């Protein structure tokens, strides 16, 4: 059953040095044609795969709020016309500090958007410049106040650590600034150097002074400790919230459930198939202009792959993998299917197994990627 939809707006007014998402500079782009294509993709897809009322809709990018007021209003209307929403659905828009005018916030509010996710990354202005961000710390405080005044109470911010030249002291100061906002949800990610980014090219030239793995691990431990001290529950490796404010959309991914993905470069998981859309805007728009879905690649997920994904996605959650739910879903006990892997990881004290859960230990969270890799290709 389809519960979720992701929509991608690829336009940005600037490109961050670490970003490898599908994005383009906004200036001179065919925004109107893109929004029309997005509307058509939703139309065709829902005709082929009718959906019950969606529990969560997430609009990401790029920068969705780089759209002007008229474009934003048209886009929101398109979403509401095409996608059936449950009464209590979570409807999230990503935004950048400084992008959200009172007019844009009112458009979002009128359209039923009830959650804002803000890309902050750090409160150190010098570091913001180094990573290619154009906002400053003061913009964050002003934007959050504007969002709250507009009537939004479900607000999340993204933070990053292990940034070039970042110190433990600086990261602690960023966390203190973040906690002063008293928000219900925080996400925090370590810097990943991805191909085709400015940082990747700098690293290859030896010109990217990152703190190193030891400092990165210390930052992550500080993050977990400070979030806990401030009453924020770590429900996933990189996500923390007050009770009831967990990201329902992201939980769709970690619970290995189906979802629609609309837009250039977007990914879907529909009826046992993972598929990705064309990334280039021209190809995406042309395909839909001819009333054809813009599918670049499709992969049928085998039963073995589904079970592997259930493990490594589920282990991202601090609650871990439910043994009873896994058994109900696949008709087999994960403790038997992955006996060797579970025994090895338990011996290393990276996971714990209880009567109905398999989950990462605190040490396991520090080594999450190594744990997840243990469940890849098990049945090959």
């Amino acid at each position: 059953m389809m519960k979720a939809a992701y929509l991608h707006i690829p336009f940005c007014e600037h490109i961050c040095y670490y970003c490898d998402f599908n994005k383009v500079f906004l200036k001179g782009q065919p925004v109107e044609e893109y929004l029309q294509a997005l509307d058509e993709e939703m139309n065709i897809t829902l005709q082929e795969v009718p959906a019950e009322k969606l529990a969560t809709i997430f609009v990401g990018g790029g920068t969705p709020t780089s759209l002007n007021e008229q474009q934003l209003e048209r886009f929101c209307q398109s979403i509401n016309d095409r996608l059936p929403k449950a009464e209590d659905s979570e409807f999230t828009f990503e935004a950048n500090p400084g992008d959200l005018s009172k007019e844009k916030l009112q458009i979002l509010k009128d359209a039923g958007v009830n959650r804002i996710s803000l890309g902050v990354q750090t409160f150190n202005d010098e570091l913001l410049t180094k990573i290619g961000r154009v906002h400053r710390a003061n913009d964050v405080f002003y934007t959050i106040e504007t969002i709250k005044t507009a009537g939004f109470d479900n607000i999340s911010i993204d933070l990053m650590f292990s940034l070039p030249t970042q110190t433990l002291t600086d990261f602690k100061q960023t966390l203190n600034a973040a906690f002063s906002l008293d928000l219900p949800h925080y996400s925090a990610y370590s810097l990943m150097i991805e191909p085709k980014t400015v940082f990747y090219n700098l690293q290859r030239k030896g010109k990217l002074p990152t703190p190193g793995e030891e400092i990165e691990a210390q930052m992550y431990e500080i993050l977990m400790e400070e979030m806990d001290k401030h009453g924020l529950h770590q429900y996933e490796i990189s996500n923390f919230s007050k009770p009831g404010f967990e990201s329902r959309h992201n939980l769709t991914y970690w619970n290995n459930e189906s979802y629609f993905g609309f837009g250039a470069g977007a990914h879907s998981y529909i009826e046992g198939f993972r598929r990705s859309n064309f990334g280039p805007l021209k190809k995406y728009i042309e395909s839909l202009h001819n009333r054809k879905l813009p599918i670049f690649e499709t992969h049928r997920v085998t039963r073995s792959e589904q079970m592997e994904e259930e493990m490594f996605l589920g282990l991202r959650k601090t609650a871990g993998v439910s043994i009873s739910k896994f058994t109900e879903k696949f008709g087999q006990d994960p403790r038997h299917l992955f006996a060797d892997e579970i025994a090895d990881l338990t011996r290393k004290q990276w996971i714990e197994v209880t009567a109905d859960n398999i989950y990462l230990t605190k040490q396991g969270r520090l080594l999450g990627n190594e744990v997840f890799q243990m469940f890849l290709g098990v049945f090959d």
Side-chain angles (χ1 to χ4, degrees):
M1 183 177 70
M2 305 299 292
K3 292 183 178 180
Y6 171 82
L7 295 98
H8 190 71
I9 297 295
F11 309 114
C12 287
E13 295 186 50
H14 60 277
I15 304 296
C16 303
Y17 299 159
Y18 53 83
C19 182
D20 71 329
F21 296 138
N22 191 47
K23 77 283 181 187
V24 292
F25 280 111
L26 175 65
K27 189 175 181 180
Q29 295 297 335
V31 178
E32 301 294 338
E33 292 91 335
Y34 181 79
L35 294 178
Q36 180 59 45
L38 249 179
D39 181 80
E40 185 63 16
E41 186 188 3
M42 286 188 277
N43 178 34
I44 297 172
T45 302
L46 269 292
Q47 286 179 18
E48 292 187 0
V49 187
E52 296 183 25
K53 294 187 175 180
L54 300 174
T56 166
I57 296 171
F58 192 104
V59 181
T63 312
T65 48
S66 65
L67 301 176
N68 64 36
E69 282 84 355
Q70 293 75 26
Q71 292 163 347
L72 190 61
E73 189 165 19
R74 172 189 171 185
F75 177 45
C76 287
Q77 185 64 54
S78 175
I79 294 171
N80 286 326
D81 286 346
R82 299 298 187 189
L83 302 182
K85 288 188 300 182
E87 280 188 25
D88 64 341
S89 65
E90 176 190 88
F91 190 178
T92 305
F93 252 76
E94 283 186 340
N96 283 333
D99 283 341
L100 280 171
S101 64
K102 292 177 182 178
E103 292 76 18
K104 287 185 180 181
L105 281 165
Q106 190 60 53
I107 290 167
L108 297 179
K109 189 77 174 172
D110 291 344
V113 175
N114 52 23
R115 186 173 184 271
I116 302 292
S117 178
L118 204 64
V120 172
Q121 319 317 353
T122 176
F123 284 85
N124 180 317
D125 286 348
E126 185 179 338
L127 266 181
L128 285 168
T129 299
K130 286 181 179 178
I131 65 176
R133 303 289 283 178
V134 296
H135 76 266
R136 294 296 173 258
N138 284 339
D139 296 324
V140 178
F141 293 107
Y142 176 78
T143 301
I144 291 292
E145 187 58 37
T146 306
I147 293 170
K148 289 181 176 179
T149 301
F152 292 90
D153 58 7
N154 195 350
I155 306 167
S156 176
I157 63 172
D158 286 354
L159 302 173
M160 294 181 73
F161 58 96
S162 195
L163 297 171
T165 71
Q166 189 177 35
T167 64
L168 290 171
T169 299
D170 172 78
F171 185 53
K172 290 176 183 176
Q173 290 171 345
T174 274
L175 287 176
N176 288 335
F179 293 136
S180 75
L181 296 169
D182 190 26
L183 301 177
H185 191 282
Y186 296 84
S187 299
Y189 306 94
S190 63
L191 174 66
M192 301 292 288
I193 310 299
E194 304 288 358
K196 300 180 182 178
T197 63
V198 172
F199 275 175
Y200 180 77
N201 293 330
L202 287 174
Q203 186 184 59
R204 289 184 68 187
K205 296 174 183 176
K207 295 181 179 180
L208 193 68
T210 52
E213 289 183 5
E214 186 176 336
I215 299 297
E216 179 181 329
Q218 289 179 43
M219 288 179 174
Y220 186 53
E221 291 191 85
I222 290 167
L223 171 72
M224 291 190 287
E225 290 167 6
E226 290 300 314
M227 289 288 175
D228 185 57
K229 282 181 188 176
H230 287 81
L232 293 144
H233 171 62
Q234 183 176 17
Y235 68 98
E236 190 267 347
I237 281 185
S238 301
N239 286 271
F240 308 79
S241 77
K242 294 179 180 178
F245 286 92
E246 297 84 359
S247 169
R248 287 157 60 186
H249 186 83
N250 286 339
L251 281 167
T252 301
Y253 303 143
W254 303 321
N255 288 331
N256 201 20
E257 296 171 335
S258 298
Y259 55 90
F260 293 113
F262 301 109
H267 292 253
S268 302
Y269 186 23
I270 301 174
E271 298 180 333
F273 288 84
R274 292 198 184 275
R275 68 190 195 195
S276 59
N277 284 350
F278 291 120
L281 264 61
K282 184 178 180 182
K283 198 150 186 133
Y284 174 82
I285 292 170
E286 281 181 356
S287 183
L288 285 154
H289 182 72
N290 295 318
R291 288 194 53 79
K292 292 181 181 177
L293 286 176
I295 300 170
F296 168 66
E297 192 172 40
T298 298
H299 172 70
R300 184 181 70 82
V301 185
T302 66
R303 182 177 175 79
S304 295
E305 289 170 333
Q306 288 178 37
M307 292 189 291
E308 291 172 358
E309 289 176 357
E310 193 83 8
M311 292 301 295
F312 68 73
L313 289 171
L315 283 170
R316 291 191 64 91
K317 300 176 295 180
T318 52
V321 176
S322 166
I323 294 168
S324 60
K325 287 181 180 177
F326 186 104
T327 304
E328 181 183 351
K329 190 171 183 179
F330 298 106
Q332 297 188 68
D333 189 321
R335 293 169 296 188
H336 301 152
L337 283 170
F338 303 100
D340 292 343
E341 291 74 22
I342 289 172
D344 186 23
L345 291 167
T346 303
R347 186 168 54 252
K348 291 176 177 175
Q349 299 184 333
W350 292 358
I351 66 168
E352 285 191 18
V353 183
T354 63
D356 192 46
N357 289 89
I358 304 167
Y359 60 91
L360 294 177
T361 61
K362 188 175 180 181
Q363 185 183 359
R365 291 179 213 168
L366 292 167
L367 299 161
N369 287 335
E370 292 182 46
V371 176
F372 305 148
Q373 286 173 9
M374 294 280 287
F375 295 96
L376 285 171
V378 172
F379 303 108
D380 290 353

